[in-house]
Amino acid sequence: MIHDTDTAAFDVDAESKRLALGLVTEAFAEGCLDGIDGDCMAQAALFAAFQELVATYGEDATARYAETLPERIRGGGFTTTLQH
């Protein structure tokens, strides 16, 4: 298990991120088509993601990464629609 102290350890090449996001988006859509509530899918996806990050980088590095999320969320880092 890698215990990196730098959140840069979470960086992956852009192509791998694009492919992974496509796979997760497809799985999310399939779950919704199967009748699973979108909010439930989102929470499960977050749980699975953080489980993997903790397993790979450890609790401390994952917590530091999570601390950057409020700023990224408020800054539109996860917004996919146009904002007025």
Side-chain angles (χ1 to χ4, degrees):
M1 182 173 356
I2 299 170
H3 292 281
D4 196 345
T5 59
D6 187 0
T7 58
F10 292 97
D11 289 339
V12 178
D13 69 89
E15 181 65 12
S16 292
K17 282 183 179 180
R18 186 187 66 73
L19 291 171
L21 181 59
L23 291 171
V24 171
T25 300
E26 287 177 25
F28 194 100
E30 286 182 30
C32 290
L33 286 173
D34 287 342
I36 301 172
D37 182 67
D39 181 62
C40 184
M41 289 294 300
Q43 289 185 39
L46 285 171
F47 184 83
F50 279 108
Q51 239 183 349
E52 182 63 26
L53 291 173
V54 167
T56 302
Y57 300 105
E59 287 86 358
D60 290 336
T62 302
R64 282 191 300 281
Y65 176 74
E67 289 169 353
T68 70
L69 294 176
E71 184 177 319
R72 292 176 64 196
I73 292 166
R74 289 183 187 104
F78 301 97
T79 302
T80 58
T81 59
L82 294 176
Q83 301 294 308
H84 297 281

